[in-house]
Amino acid sequence: MNTNDVPSPVRILVAVTASLGVAALAIRLPDIPTWERGDVFAVLLLAAGTLIAERFSIPLRHGTEIVNFALSDAVWAAGLLLVRPSVLTVAVLLGVTLGQVSQRRAPYKIAFNVGQFLVGITVAEALFGVLGGGSITDSWTWTLAFVAMGGCFVVNASSIVLVVSLMEHKRFIDVLVPPLHINVLHWAGNMVLGILAAVAWSTSAAAIVLLAAPIALSFAAYRVRVASVKERNDWRRMYEAGTYLSGPLGKRPDFQPFARLLEDILQAEAVELIVVEDEQVTVHGSRHKHTFRVIEGDPSSVDTLVSVRVGSTPTPQIALIGDEEQMHGVIAVYREAPLDERDSALLDNLAGQIALRLRNHRLFGETLEQARLAQIIGHTADGIFTVAPDGTVASWNPAMELITGCHRDRAIGRLCEEVLGPRMAETIASLPIAPTGDAKASDSLVERPDGSLRWLRVRAQSIRDHEHAARSIVVVAHDVTAEVQAEQLKHDFVSLVSHELRTPLTPLKGFLRSLLDGIVEDAPEARQEYYRIMLRQTERLERLIGDLLDVSQIESGNLLIEPKQIELGYLVRRQVGDFERQHSDRVRFHGPGAPLLVYADAMRVEQVLSNLISNALKYSPRETAIEVSVGSADGKAVVAVQDRGPGITEAEQERIFERFYRSDTATAGRTNGVGLGLFIARNLIDAMSGELAVSSELGDGSTFAFTLPLSYATSKSGRAASERSARVKAATA
Ligand code: ADP
């Protein structure tokens, strides 16, 4: 750990401990000049003993701090019984400092350890002095040394517990209690060894060799004990790591706590997991997390990554997360000692688990996204399909089936051109492919299996799947047939209506000018003829304007119908009579045997009939007759207008009732008309609860027939019509 990362309470504690250590040393300084050769020898011997004990210490990790099991205090217990306090203090100073430096401890740790040991030994020396330790051969003196060294133990243990609790943000008692019994045992063992060594030394120095056996034994016992504690901790941490890795898949993995666990298990300065996902690199440390974007072809983004300071100390030891097929990143372990076989195996195992976890997370995400996408694509009104790099259709959504009338089973796997026709395939091929964002659209026609045409507005975007380098194209097709038709209709309407308005206006204007300029023949017959022509043209204008008004009423739903009970036979006969007067020999009437009472608007029925008869006259040769008949069938009155004209193709028989639709067959060479008459007629008959239809054979004339409800038979529908009328009136009022 960096000195910079040390929390300030710990820094204060280190400073205080170091100062107390200096003070403890200062007390002994005046005594040093009185030393004899034996004292110097004793200092060197005890310092060497301390150094060796420190070097052979067995570390046991507590989070970020390491507590060492060493035999140092056994050496000091012997020193307490054998040498002057100043000698022991200086030996502790030298031994501990050298031991810590040789283990390359951080300076603040050395300062803290040396400080607290100096204070501890000074407390022990003081206690021993106060209790009045006597001859070394006296067992009472041994007890006193034991008690005095207890003071040293209390100082050492509590200062270490304090520093660990501050570093780990744990309660003092929680750090102190769990290892207390083993620490006390260890200390007591050391004391016995130390006192034994002192007694042996004072009686026969050679006997000290005999102590080698119990020392080696206790060292081995510590090691086993520490190893078992470590193993237990490792298992617990491994279990925690495993639970963590098997957490819920939907959550994006956060490896920060995992890095902390690994630091503990591997006893490393730091552990970092560097995870690569597409262009994103995330460094998860135990206390930090950075995310970078590495963009292909942008060297500066790679520089950012290289300059990441992944750790302050040693070169990292690395384990790969993933395999050659799919690499997810690396685990970097910063630790002085190289990883042994056990640690490496453990690290590789965890790296494998992380790789699995990342792979599962990615798969889960992809599956979820695919399901969501499929739902959206399945329910959208827009057609969406993909074209593989080889030009075949790879996917086809339900909206595409509706728009084109082509089932996905017939579309998928076939060439785009075969499915959508060459025109659309060409449009798609020439579309600008947008990698992201808004793509430019293009309109084109597709033919449905029933022969009808649809206008599609298509946009294309390229997509890249994980496996293939080549890019597919995703095409979004919006059915704009209605828009295109409306646009066309608007255009047709303006040109047709302006043409139709101009046609009668031109002769009207011409005649009026001639009359004004007095350049007309003055004969009354000629004038009469002029007035007749002008009246005809004015009526034509009036009709056209009337038609336009009707269309606007139909479209706004305000068509005005005033139904009454009328006698249909009489009404039709009268109107046929009017036509007969103008076209004496062409129009013939076939009346019903008895009066036919219907519930309808007389004016509107006349309007419809007039349109049908004039169409029949207009679109059939002059020499042919028009038959108009009135009768009844299925409880309805039926009026039919039959001509011997060119007839209407089957495909057009419905279309002629659309606004502005004019058939080429019948209208060839004729410009009179805007294609509104039948549209209005059908809407009027509908509004009077009847039906208007055509039956025709090409080359064999046409029969337009409409029905109206008989007033006695269908009083219900009559009422419906009258209710509608009332509604219409209310709406227009
Ligand atoms: P317009 O007569 O002004 O064109 P209509 O709505 O009355 O408008 O008729 C629509 C079209 O239907 C005509 O343009 C014509 O092509 C066709 N049509 C109508 N009546 C007949 C008929 N009796 N015989 C053949 N075609 C007809």
Side-chain angles (χ1 to χ4, degrees):
M1 181 182 293
N2 246 323
T3 317
N4 295 340
D5 299 337
V6 177
S8 39
V10 177
R11 290 177 192 224
I12 295 169
L13 182 67
V14 171
V16 170
T17 313
S19 318
L20 287 175
V22 171
L25 190 65
I27 300 172
R28 304 297 174 205
L29 282 179
D31 197 37
I32 295 175
T34 64
W35 283 359
E36 290 162 17
R37 190 179 295 169
D39 291 322
V40 176
F41 176 69
V43 163
L44 292 177
L45 205 63
L46 285 173
T50 306
L51 174 61
I52 293 166
E54 285 285 301
R55 283 301 288 167
F56 283 95
S57 65
I58 305 161
L60 183 62
R61 195 182 172 94
H62 276 274
T64 52
E65 295 309 301
I66 296 165
V67 179
N68 288 295
F69 280 79
L71 284 167
S72 320
D73 47 1
V75 177
W76 305 339
L80 189 68
L81 287 165
L82 295 173
V83 300
R84 299 156 67 162
S86 61
V87 169
L88 181 55
T89 306
V90 174
V92 168
L93 170 73
L94 288 176
V96 174
T97 310
L98 289 174
Q100 301 266 316
V101 170
S102 71
Q103 287 174 61
R104 295 211 212 127
R105 293 271 158 79
Y108 82 99
K109 286 190 178 175
I110 300 179
F112 175 76
N113 286 333
V114 173
Q116 57 115 342
F117 283 136
L118 283 177
V119 174
I121 206 65
T122 307
V123 168
E125 288 160 1
L127 276 175
F128 193 62
V130 169
L131 295 170
S135 161
I136 192 154
T137 48
D138 183 356
S139 62
W140 180 238
T141 307
W142 306 343
T143 313
L144 293 183
F146 201 92
V147 173
M149 280 306 285
C152 178
F153 172 74
V154 171
V155 170
N156 294 162
S158 50
S159 59
I160 288 176
V161 168
L162 191 60
V163 89
V164 171
S165 67
L166 287 174
M167 287 300 270
E168 296 286 303
H169 305 287
K170 286 182 183 157
R171 288 193 323 166
F172 183 86
I173 199 87
D174 293 341
V175 183
L176 174 76
V177 173
L180 189 61
H181 67 289
I182 188 172
N183 282 346
V184 170
L185 269 178
H186 162 70
W187 168 78
N190 279 0
M191 289 309 100
V192 172
L193 277 174
I195 294 166
L196 263 178
V199 174
W201 180 269
S202 60
T203 49
S204 153
I208 226 159
V209 180
L210 294 177
L211 279 176
I215 288 176
L217 261 179
S218 69
F219 183 73
Y222 292 147
R223 267 180 82 125
V224 170
R225 172 70 192 167
V226 165
S228 83
V229 169
K230 186 170 177 290
E231 197 136 318
R232 202 185 57 213
N233 285 346
D234 284 358
W235 277 113
R236 190 171 44 80
R237 285 168 189 141
M238 282 288 285
Y239 170 76
E240 277 175 39
T243 346
Y244 172 74
L245 284 177
S246 58
L249 268 181
K251 263 177 74 185
R252 171 169 281 274
D254 169 16
F255 292 110
Q256 219 157 321
F258 192 79
R260 199 163 324 159
L261 272 176
L262 264 182
E263 274 176 14
D264 276 359
I265 297 173
L266 299 173
Q267 306 203 337
E269 286 273 316
V271 167
E272 272 163 343
L273 280 93
I274 297 137
V275 177
V276 185
E277 283 172 295
D278 298 326
E279 290 169 342
Q280 189 170 299
V281 178
T282 313
V283 180
H284 305 260
S286 60
R287 281 173 200 80
H288 60 268
K289 187 171 147 188
H290 309 286
T291 301
F292 309 92
R293 216 156 243 296
V294 179
I295 300 148
E296 231 178 296
D298 176 4
S300 66
S301 68
V302 181
D303 286 351
T304 350
L305 181 66
V306 172
S307 66
V308 180
R309 206 174 63 94
V310 277
S312 57
T313 36
T315 353
Q317 302 174 64
I318 279 175
L320 298 178
I321 305 175
D323 46 31
E324 279 161 23
E325 218 172 274
Q326 204 171 16
M327 191 52 67
H328 296 284
V330 290
I331 305 179
V333 178
Y334 300 86
R335 146 176 148 169
E336 199 76 59
L339 294 174
D340 58 20
E341 214 171 298
R342 177 182 162 277
D343 288 344
S344 297
L346 190 129
L347 190 61
D348 285 342
N349 181 300
L350 285 173
Q353 285 189 42
I354 293 171
L356 198 69
R357 162 82 208 207
L358 285 170
R359 202 165 302 155
N360 286 346
H361 177 74
R362 172 178 271 185
L363 277 178
F364 181 78
E366 280 176 4
T367 317
L368 211 69
E369 201 176 359
Q370 270 171 9
R372 256 187 235 138
L373 256 178
Q375 256 209 331
I376 294 170
I377 291 175
H379 287 89
T380 180
D382 280 336
I384 300 174
F385 63 99
T386 47
V387 182
D390 63 358
T392 54
V393 174
S395 71
W396 194 253
N397 79 335
M400 241 2 243
E401 290 182 350
L402 274 179
I403 295 171
T404 61
C406 174
H407 194 265
R408 67 190 296 270
D409 294 345
R410 285 196 50 234
I412 291 177
R414 285 172 63 207
L415 280 174
C416 193
E417 189 179 331
E418 288 168 23
V419 182
L420 292 167
R423 213 173 344 168
M424 181 57 96
E426 210 174 290
T427 309
I428 291 171
S430 62
L431 272 178
I433 311 285
T436 49
D438 241 11
K440 256 201 148 140
S442 219
D443 292 355
S444 189
L445 271 175
V446 279
E447 192 177 345
R448 290 168 57 94
D450 62 6
S452 60
L453 296 171
R454 310 297 297 172
W455 277 100
L456 298 191
R457 182 158 300 157
V458 284
R459 286 187 169 81
Q461 232 162 23
S462 63
I463 46 165
R464 192 181 57 186
D465 58 30
H466 282 301
E467 276 128 58
H468 303 111
R471 285 172 176 259
S472 297
I473 300 170
V474 60
V475 183
V476 179
H478 188 60
D479 187 348
V480 288
T481 314
E483 276 171 51
V484 172
Q485 278 174 352
E487 201 53 46
Q488 186 65 36
L489 217 61
K490 239 192 278 172
H491 179 262
D492 291 354
F493 174 79
V494 173
S495 58
L496 256 173
V497 168
S498 41
H499 175 83
E500 282 301 307
L501 284 173
R502 189 176 291 271
T503 312
L505 269 182
T506 314
L508 259 180
K509 200 171 148 195
F511 284 122
L512 280 173
R513 189 168 295 278
S514 311
L515 284 170
L516 204 66
D517 294 348
I519 49 166
V520 267
E521 266 186 65
D522 227 6
E525 303 82 59
R527 272 180 186 273
Q528 283 296 314
E529 182 56 25
Y530 273 34
Y531 290 143
R532 257 198 303 277
I533 297 172
M534 281 163 63
L535 183 64
R536 242 193 350 263
Q537 299 301 341
T538 315
E539 282 169 352
R540 194 172 154 188
L541 264 181
E542 194 184 18
R543 260 201 316 278
L544 180 66
I545 291 164
D547 280 357
L548 291 175
L549 276 175
D550 282 346
V551 170
S552 111
Q553 281 183 9
I554 290 168
E555 282 181 345
S556 59
N558 288 334
L559 192 57
L560 194 59
I561 306 282
E562 289 178 359
K564 278 196 212 82
Q565 184 161 288
I566 50 169
E567 207 281 291
L568 191 61
Y570 170 73
L571 185 144
V572 178
R573 184 198 312 264
R574 196 183 60 194
Q575 196 154 15
V576 170
D578 287 351
F579 273 97
E580 267 175 342
R581 268 189 292 284
Q582 289 171 39
H583 312 270
S584 51
D585 48 348
R586 288 193 67 191
V587 191
R588 292 181 200 147
F589 176 70
H590 306 274
L596 269 180
L597 289 178
V598 293
Y599 197 76
D601 183 330
M603 288 254 294
R604 293 305 199 177
V605 176
E606 277 176 7
Q607 186 182 346
V608 173
L609 192 59
S610 152
N611 182 262
L612 296 181
I613 300 175
S614 26
N615 273 355
L617 288 165
K618 198 160 69 175
Y619 297 120
S620 59
R622 276 180 188 282
E623 60 286 358
T624 58
I626 313 296
E627 316 279 346
V628 181
S629 62
V630 185
S632 67
D634 301 332
K636 289 174 190 164
V638 184
V639 180
V641 178
Q642 188 185 12
D643 64 50
R644 300 265 163 260
I648 303 156
T649 60
E650 208 181 319
E652 285 183 310
Q653 283 176 20
E654 262 313 297
R655 299 214 62 193
I656 53 172
F657 293 100
E658 290 173 11
R659 281 174 310 178
F660 305 117
Y661 188 83
R662 308 195 74 215
S663 150
D664 286 342
T665 333
T667 52
R670 281 172 235 265
T671 49
N672 191 351
V674 284
L676 288 177
L678 288 179
F679 171 74
I680 296 169
R682 177 170 266 184
N683 276 282
L684 288 175
I685 296 294
D686 272 358
M688 292 185 283
S689 308
E691 278 172 42
L692 167 62
V694 64
S695 64
S696 176
E697 284 284 335
L698 209 56
D700 202 22
S702 318
T703 302
F704 284 84
F706 65 87
T707 62
L708 284 172
L710 288 169
S711 70
Y712 57 84
T714 53
S715 53
K716 231 174 153 188
S717 47
R719 255 205 315 281
S722 81
E723 277 163 15
R724 194 176 308 126
S725 154
R727 251 200 334 270
V728 166
K729 276 186 215 153
T732 44

